Amino acid sequence: MTEDTGARADAVRALESQFGELIGQFRRLISEAAHRISPGMLPGAYKLFTTIVRRESITSSALAELLMLDKGQISRTVRELETLGLIQRTPDPSDGRSSLLSATPQGLERLEAARRPQERGLHESLAEWELDDIHRLTALLHALTTGTRPTE
């Protein structure tokens, strides 16, 4: 192992360790946000809901494929989100056998309110950061998640 290879391995291990810390913190934030939307809501239901919000409208099948979940789990969680008034179904104009899932106005309001504390926390954490550093971190994370080389 060359010195450069060893240094790279050490750097990757340090990054992996920090990701572990970040994931733990992220899980806590997701649990708290889910609870703010509806006491007892599980993080998985929150993830499904926020995915529907991000996609604006999506079928249950596409949601199952995207999140790599079985259709039974998706169906149960969709019913829970509908019962809570967070999402609605509308006929899919391209497939009469299917429905599109989308957030209700009430769901969007509750999500915005649930996210406010974590957004405030992120703003506070980044208050002393240079704007260029925030943009650079965003670009680096995007490159990592897409498997592409970071751009300058």
Side-chain angles (χ1 to χ4, degrees):
M1 184 182 295
T2 67
E3 185 175 320
D4 185 48
T5 304
R8 180 172 290 278
D10 289 345
V12 169
R13 273 193 291 278
L15 178 62
E16 181 181 29
S17 174
Q18 287 305 306
F19 273 134
E21 295 293 323
L22 185 62
I23 289 167
Q25 185 177 14
F26 186 71
R27 283 184 176 148
R28 182 180 52 77
L29 290 172
I30 293 296
S31 292
E32 291 170 359
H35 184 76
R36 283 191 294 273
I37 287 178
S38 179
M41 176 184 269
L42 296 174
Y46 179 84
K47 175 67 176 168
L48 198 129
F49 175 52
T50 58
T51 301
I52 292 169
V53 169
R54 257 192 327 281
R55 297 294 170 149
E56 295 181 0
S57 69
I58 189 169
T59 64
S60 290
S61 296
L63 201 53
E65 187 176 315
L66 181 68
L67 297 176
M68 294 185 284
L69 295 171
D70 70 87
K71 291 181 182 180
Q73 178 65 42
I74 294 288
S75 182
R76 286 186 297 276
T77 306
V78 162
R79 278 194 304 275
E80 174 189 346
L81 296 173
E82 281 182 304
T83 299
L84 292 170
L86 301 175
I87 66 168
Q88 61 191 358
R89 292 177 201 248
T90 55
D92 184 346
S94 65
D95 182 355
R97 302 164 295 159
S98 185
S99 296
L100 294 173
L101 306 171
S102 60
T104 63
Q106 176 191 2
L108 293 173
E109 287 173 19
R110 288 171 66 183
L111 180 59
E112 184 179 326
R115 285 179 166 165
R116 235 176 258 126
Q118 64 199 43
E119 287 173 355
R120 230 183 346 263
L122 189 56
H123 278 277
E124 289 169 8
S125 294
L126 298 173
E128 300 297 318
W129 286 42
E130 295 292 329
L131 189 56
D132 286 343
D133 290 337
I134 296 169
H135 289 302
R136 181 75 178 141
L137 177 59
T138 302
L140 289 169
L141 289 172
H142 176 76
L144 183 62
T145 58
T146 58
T148 58
R149 185 164 189 219
T151 59
E152 292 298 318

